[in-house]
Amino acid sequence: MKIVIVEDEPLAGDALEELVLKLRPDYEVLTRIESVEEGIEWFDTHDAPNLIFCDIHLSDGRSFEMWREVKIDCPVIFTTAYNQYAIEAFKVNSVDYLLKPIKEEELQKAIEKYESLHKEALSSEMKNLRNLIENSVLERGYREVKTRFMVKTGQVIKSISTNEVAYFIAEEGVVLLVNFKGNRFVVNYTLDQLEAQLDPQMFFRANRQLVVNIEAVKEVTPYFKGRLYLLLEPAPDGDQVISSGKANAFKEWLDM
């Protein structure tokens, strides 16, 4: 059984590949794809695998674009974090949909479902999925928000819920996830990418160095020239200030 994994987070890709091969040692991972552009090129020049495990939000766009650009005639199991309304559409029109972090028992069920489907049923599901993607039905009215992050601490890969994240802060060329216990982990995202993927009711782009969780804001005081000074918990290194241009938007966000 030949499979392809489409996932732009190396740690998440490693974890998924390890779990799939644990459950099905006879499966062969042909390649790992990390971007829409890479996916279009690969599927356009290679024979289709038997099955795709596919994240939706990739580094350069949504994986739906691969289906729009090239003909992909193989079953897909989506692996991402999407809202509940979209989940029903994915479950009906793909082999299955798995929420991250992927649990072994859920992956086992999805693989068993795929293995139990007849060729005709798989063909019908692939056709329905292509139609939905081409007509943008799956994307209309939905916003994808990231619900957790895979981080590495030593040799261990750990899953951290966004509810545990106090803020993301850029320091010395890297972006750190800081949880409410004050633990710090490197993440492979820019703050611009995080701003686009996080729940805007929970997180705010405070300045060029900081994306903050509303629960981490303990005190806000006036600062020079209409700016705002933030007291955060846990406290970061250095002062954190909201510009005068963002001050009103920040106040409105706190009142949501």
Side-chain angles (χ1 to χ4, degrees):
M1 186 70 66
K2 300 181 186 299
I3 68 171
V4 166
I5 294 175
V6 182
E7 170 62 68
D8 67 336
E9 294 184 62
L11 293 179
D14 290 345
L16 176 58
E17 182 172 344
E18 181 179 342
L19 199 52
V20 169
L21 295 180
K22 175 185 176 183
L23 295 173
R24 294 294 187 274
D26 57 325
Y27 278 23
E28 177 187 357
V29 180
L30 295 177
T31 189
R32 291 254 295 271
I33 292 169
E34 297 186 358
S35 69
V36 173
E37 181 180 1
E38 181 185 349
I40 291 171
E41 181 180 353
W42 194 92
F43 285 110
D44 195 38
T45 55
H46 293 77
D47 293 333
N50 299 106
L51 177 64
I52 302 172
F53 289 89
C54 187
D55 194 3
I56 293 173
H57 191 100
L58 302 177
S59 59
D60 59 346
R62 298 194 180 192
S63 56
F64 301 139
E65 293 301 322
M66 296 189 302
W67 274 266
R68 295 189 179 113
E69 293 294 327
V70 295
K71 188 174 182 180
I72 303 176
D73 279 328
C74 56
V76 57
I77 295 175
F78 285 108
T79 60
T80 191
Y82 225 78
N83 70 39
Q84 184 63 43
Y85 300 102
I87 288 173
E88 297 308 316
F90 284 120
K91 280 190 174 293
V92 170
N93 296 288
S94 62
V95 173
D96 212 338
Y97 173 95
L98 300 173
L99 284 171
K100 294 180 180 179
I102 297 170
K103 297 181 175 62
E104 182 174 336
E105 59 270 25
E106 296 299 322
L107 178 60
Q108 174 75 22
K109 290 177 183 177
I111 292 174
E112 288 177 352
K113 179 182 176 182
Y114 160 71
E115 293 173 339
S116 70
L117 288 173
H118 297 295
K119 184 176 180 180
E120 294 78 10
L122 287 171
S123 177
S124 176
E125 288 190 347
M126 286 185 283
K127 181 179 179 180
N128 290 340
L129 179 62
R130 282 196 301 271
N131 288 337
L132 286 172
I133 290 172
E134 288 170 3
N135 293 307
S136 299
V137 173
L138 291 177
E139 297 179 276
R140 197 174 299 144
Y142 302 126
R143 173 175 174 141
E144 183 180 3
V145 295
K146 198 158 184 64
T147 59
R148 59 186 59 249
F149 292 83
M150 304 298 290
V151 300
K152 193 170 185 179
T153 171
Q155 297 301 311
V156 178
I157 296 174
K158 181 178 180 180
S159 174
I160 298 181
S161 166
T162 52
N163 293 326
E164 302 173 57
V165 179
Y167 47 82
F168 298 89
I169 190 164
E171 292 184 1
E172 299 180 353
V174 299
V175 174
L176 301 172
L177 179 160
V178 181
N179 66 14
F180 283 101
K181 295 179 180 179
N183 299 320
R184 296 151 66 91
F185 307 92
V186 174
V187 292
N188 294 318
Y189 292 90
T190 66
L191 289 183
D192 288 343
Q193 290 171 331
L194 291 167
E195 182 182 10
Q197 295 181 42
L198 293 166
D199 183 347
Q201 292 187 327
M202 182 182 295
F203 289 90
F204 188 89
R205 178 68 179 272
N207 52 46
R208 287 183 297 177
Q209 290 78 38
L210 181 73
V211 175
V212 63
N213 187 329
I214 196 168
E215 297 298 331
V217 180
K218 297 308 174 186
E219 190 175 299
V220 181
T221 56
Y223 205 55
F224 301 107
K225 297 182 179 179
R227 294 179 293 172
L228 300 173
Y229 182 87
L230 302 184
L231 178 64
L232 305 178
E233 190 176 306
D237 295 333
D239 294 340
Q240 294 300 323
V241 176
I242 303 285
S243 70
S244 57
K246 281 193 169 185
N248 286 336
F250 182 74
K251 291 175 183 176
E252 291 175 3
W253 174 69
L254 286 178
D255 286 338
M256 284 194 304

